Amino acid sequence: MNKKDFQKLLDKYIAGEASLEEEQRLLNFYGSFQNQSEIDQEIDHVGDNIFEKIQESIHPVEEDQYSYRFYYLKSISIAAMILLAITTGLYFYSNREIAEPESFAEIDVRNDIAPGYNKAILTLADGSKISLDDAANGLLASQGNIAITKTENGQIVYENNTIDRTKFMSTRSVINTIQTPKGGKFQVRLPDGSRVWLNSASTLSYPTTFAGNERKVQLKGEAYFEISPNKNIPFRVQSGNQMVEVLGTHFNINSYDDEDYVKTTLLEGSVKVILNSNPNVVANTRLLKPGEQSLTKSTQSAIRIKSADTEKAVAWKNGYFKFKNTPIMEIMREIERWYDVELVYEGKMPNDEFTGFISNDVKISAVLKIMEESGGVKFTVKGKKLKVKSMP
């Protein structure tokens, strides 16, 4: 390449008008130097040229301030890259990474996604963590007079410590937390004998012993409760913007952050739902009857009550999905949590509602196939990403 051609090419490079092929030729030219003296000579020429260009760009004839500023920074960047190539005397190709569309594929046996299973992390009062899906059955830990054991049927149990009496050092109640990830679930039997089924992506915090005049736990996510009766010591669940108070009953609370409402569904007994904002206002406290569901929202000052589909509310706990006139976005949130996938939407989602039920112990393809056959959507997958495409 002669100096005249080189100068033209360099001018295009600095102006940002060079094609990839021209950039390649320019850098090939740098890589062709045989010794340091050649490089030094060319540095003088190219360096002067580049900085002349930069100097010209600092004083544009008729350029607005913003376009000048952009061009100046661009020139600096190009100059730095070229000088680096010259001073090292190395040939390299400016490898621009061009973002390519992700390659999603039809779901088949090779890329199908397995359903969730019993897995959770138990965090003890001292901050130590136990992976419950990896832990062996039997004694997990002792805290004061309480032994924590894992049973064969996938639950942890809190009970009086009869396994290791050397642990009877204190009766002080401390807080434990069990957390399920996406694609996980677990069951807990609390110190008073109450049982809790924890859905995926949920957290339950509770004391190792219930002391005082209440039994209080905190929930994020979704859980089904079967509470041991005790008329003298009410059981209270803090979740989202509400408190649920019971004596002994069966109910489900759905309080995921990405849902519009906190839903409390009563199956047996009675519960009192109390808004945290002002429990002394009559409208902020409601009593549920079996078959009813309350809906609360942080932006609303009252509690809505409606008839509930109790089977649908606890379908997850009983091992299946049930959809009844359910919008697709609500279904996809449930699938996202249970199959631990990341959702990618393409196009405006249809307003269609789906009705049906299927086991949640099947791979994701079985669930999605039913939805595709209903029309309106198409699914493809890449790794743990699931693309939801609107179909005409």
Side-chain angles (χ1 to χ4, degrees), residues 17 30 46 54 56 60-61 80 95 100 108 126 157 227 232 242 262 278 286 294 331 341 360 375 387:
E17 298 172 355
Y30 296 145
V46 176
I54 294 173
E56 290 173 6
V61 177
N95 189 15
E100 296 183 357
D108 57 30
D126 62 1
V157 176
I227 304 304
N232 297 317
Q242 69 173 33
V262 176
N278 190 349
R286 299 291 298 271
S294 68
I331 294 173
V341 293
N360 66 10
K387 180 182 284 187

Side-chain angles (χ1 to χ4, degrees), residues 20-59:
L20 289 177
E21 288 184 5
E22 289 170 329
E23 291 178 16
Q24 177 74 72
R25 287 173 55 204
L26 184 62
L27 294 174
N28 282 350
F29 178 66
Y30 296 145
S32 67
F33 296 136
Q34 299 298 316
N35 54 58
Q36 187 64 41
S37 62
E38 286 187 72
I39 296 172
D40 292 339
Q41 292 174 10
E42 200 60 37
I43 286 175
D44 292 337
H45 169 69
V46 176
D48 290 345
N49 182 283
I50 290 171
F51 286 106
E52 283 175 11
K53 293 290 184 183
I54 294 173
Q55 186 65 25
E56 290 173 6
S57 70
I58 295 175
H59 303 288

Side-chain angles (χ1 to χ4, degrees), residues 49-202:
N49 182 283
I50 290 171
F51 286 106
E52 283 175 11
K53 293 290 184 183
I54 294 173
Q55 186 65 25
E56 290 173 6
S57 70
I58 295 175
H59 303 288
V61 177
E62 292 182 356
E63 191 95 42
D64 96 37
Q65 182 181 4
Y66 294 101
S67 59
Y68 142 69
R69 190 172 297 166
F70 172 79
Y71 181 75
Y72 175 70
L73 293 174
K74 184 175 181 181
S75 298
I76 288 286
S77 300
I78 295 171
M81 184 174 67
I82 295 176
L83 287 175
L84 178 62
I86 298 172
T87 53
T88 56
L90 297 175
Y91 156 68
F92 69 93
Y93 179 66
S94 177
N95 189 15
R96 294 181 177 176
E97 291 187 8
I98 301 174
E100 296 183 357
E102 292 187 278
S103 179
F104 285 80
E106 299 281 344
I107 301 174
D108 57 30
V109 294
R110 295 166 298 178
N111 60 13
D112 214 343
I113 298 172
Y117 58 93
N118 284 341
K119 57 180 175 179
I121 297 293
L122 174 65
T123 303
L124 303 178
D126 62 1
S128 58
K129 298 180 183 295
I130 301 172
S131 175
L132 296 178
D133 42 318
D134 296 330
N137 296 334
L139 181 67
L140 297 177
S142 295
Q143 295 188 319
N145 288 338
I146 296 296
I148 308 170
T149 58
K150 178 184 175 183
T151 66
E152 292 182 0
N153 63 347
Q155 67 173 320
I156 58 171
V157 176
Y158 286 75
E159 56 191 353
N160 288 334
N161 196 335
T162 59
I163 300 174
D164 185 355
R165 295 186 180 277
T166 63
K167 300 296 182 180
F168 278 46
M169 297 180 292
S170 171
T171 58
R172 183 174 63 91
S173 180
V174 293
I175 300 298
N176 283 187
T177 299
I178 182 171
Q179 182 175 24
T180 56
K182 287 183 178 180
K185 62 178 180 177
F186 224 85
Q187 188 182 153
V188 187
R189 193 169 81 198
L190 298 173
D192 67 339
S194 297
R195 295 198 294 168
V196 184
W197 285 256
L198 204 60
N199 202 355
S200 56
S202 301

